[in-house]
Amino acid sequence: MDTNQKARNFHNYKVWQDAVNYATHVYQVTSQLPWFEKKGLCDQLQRAVVSISSNIAEGAGRPTDTEFAHFLDIALGSANEVETQLIISKNLSYITPEQFDLLIVKLVEIQKQLTALISLIRNQYNSR
């Protein structure tokens, strides 16, 4: 059982900061999507991108490393969902190849940060 309780401030995590900035950028891009997609792909993409930083924040508020890592896993899943939705948006020409490339580069960085933080937390827990 993981009894290690930590006080974490999610504002201090670079991955959370990057995810919030990324969500803001995605909202700016999705504001340009066709009106008929506002309740479809646009809505789903916005929900998924907000879920990344939201799950980091929620997990940081959990008392154990195990719970924190679980919420980081969910954030990573949301990042993968965003990637899929961006590919679909590009395939439908809702976003330009340039917008897609820029968004993917930033998303991959967030995915790498999440993976590294999950690994760090789990390795620390397993080494106890």
Side-chain angles (χ1 to χ4, degrees), residues 66-103:
T66 301
E67 290 175 289
F68 186 30
H70 172 72
F71 278 89
L72 293 173
D73 283 333
I74 295 169
L76 183 57
S78 293
N80 293 339
E81 187 178 346
V82 168
E83 183 176 354
T84 299
Q85 293 157 357
L86 289 173
I87 291 167
I88 293 167
S89 296
K90 180 190 65 130
N91 290 348
L92 293 170
S93 299
Y94 290 166
I95 60 175
T96 66
E98 294 78 19
Q99 287 173 314
F100 174 80
D101 290 344
L102 180 61
L103 288 169

Side-chain angles (χ1 to χ4, degrees), residues 19-102:
V20 167
N21 290 333
Y22 185 73
T24 303
H25 187 183
V26 168
Y27 262 77
Q28 292 166 343
V29 170
T30 56
S31 72
Q32 302 166 13
L33 291 182
W35 66 268
F36 54 84
E37 277 298 346
K38 294 299 181 195
K39 293 293 179 197
L41 186 58
C42 178
D43 185 52
Q44 189 65 29
L45 181 53
Q46 289 173 344
R47 287 174 191 254
V49 77
V50 167
S51 179
I52 300 169
S53 55
S54 296
N55 276 291
I56 297 166
E58 185 172 355
R62 298 298 173 139
T64 66
D65 286 346
T66 301
E67 290 175 289
F68 186 30
H70 172 72
F71 278 89
L72 293 173
D73 283 333
I74 295 169
L76 183 57
S78 293
N80 293 339
E81 187 178 346
V82 168
E83 183 176 354
T84 299
Q85 293 157 357
L86 289 173
I87 291 167
I88 293 167
S89 296
K90 180 190 65 130
N91 290 348
L92 293 170
S93 299
Y94 290 166
I95 60 175
T96 66
E98 294 78 19
Q99 287 173 314
F100 174 80
D101 290 344
L102 180 61

